[in-house]
Amino acid sequence: MKRRHFVAALAGLFAAHRAAQAAPADAVKIEKVVLKPEEWKKRLTPEQYAVLREEGTERAGSSPLDREKRKGTFACAGCDLPLFTSDMKFDSGTGWPSFFTFIPGRLGTRTDFKLIYPRTEYHCIRCDGHQGHVFDDGPPPTGKRYCNNGLALKFIPA
């Protein structure tokens, strides 16, 4: 009898652990935005299209968002999904807007080999728009640097 209770308790703990790792109950369902290239070209500037849809990179120091200090939200320029808050931003000295974390559930990642060696590219989870690359040289508490193209973002003041 005691063994049966032990096994049942162990199974219950395992189930509770799995449930705790699942998405939170209040997670927001994000609808995907899927457009044809012609539709994206109507919606975006040519420079934004090159970054968001063709995974380009803007020139360092060219974005005014790198110097943005006001309170607010940084949203995807392709679909308006909020990705970062101003509290997540820091001055990395790289010439691109940088963040040490992101709003949970808003970014996806994949490995990019465009410079021969592997890098982690991240994109908007709603429209799949390329945002930038993440590096392991950021500040505490995460140690991450989400190095974002300013053209891929829009700033919404608080």
Side-chain angles (χ1 to χ4, degrees):
M1 256 334 223
K2 290 184 180 182
R3 177 180 270 166
R4 188 175 308 158
H5 290 283
F6 174 74
V7 170
L10 193 59
L13 285 172
F14 179 72
H17 177 71
R18 296 282 290 167
Q21 289 181 326
D26 63 346
V28 177
K29 172 80 171 116
I30 297 174
E31 293 286 325
K32 297 284 187 183
V33 173
V34 180
L35 300 176
K36 294 179 178 171
E38 312 81 61
E39 295 171 297
W40 282 117
K41 286 179 181 178
K42 288 179 187 172
R43 181 183 279 211
L44 304 169
T45 67
E47 295 82 8
Q48 287 175 316
Y49 185 86
V51 169
L52 287 162
R53 309 313 312 163
E54 297 176 335
E55 299 180 353
T57 302
E58 69 190 3
R59 188 173 43 81
S62 64
S63 175
L65 293 183
D66 183 40
R67 296 172 296 283
E68 181 60 65
K69 305 282 190 231
R70 295 175 292 168
K71 290 283 187 194
T73 303
F74 294 85
C76 176
C79 68
D80 299 330
L81 181 69
L83 303 177
F84 306 97
T85 68
S86 55
D87 293 333
M88 300 168 176
K89 189 173 186 292
F90 73 100
D91 184 1
S92 66
T94 61
W96 287 283
S98 298
F99 306 86
F100 61 84
T101 192
F102 59 94
I103 299 172
R106 304 302 172 90
L107 298 178
T109 62
R110 58 183 157 245
T111 303
D112 162 355
F113 291 95
K114 288 189 175 131
L115 294 180
I116 309 301
Y117 63 92
R119 299 183 300 169
T120 302
E121 177 265 340
Y122 63 94
H123 54 272
C124 171
I125 203 73
R126 179 188 281 163
C127 72
D128 205 35
H130 173 74
Q131 295 293 318
H133 292 86
V134 62
F135 302 96
D136 292 324
D137 60 2
T142 64
K144 301 289 185 189
R145 173 173 53 97
Y146 290 83
C147 189
N148 220 100
N149 286 287
L151 286 167
L153 295 171
K154 64 169 34 170
F155 181 70
I156 304 162

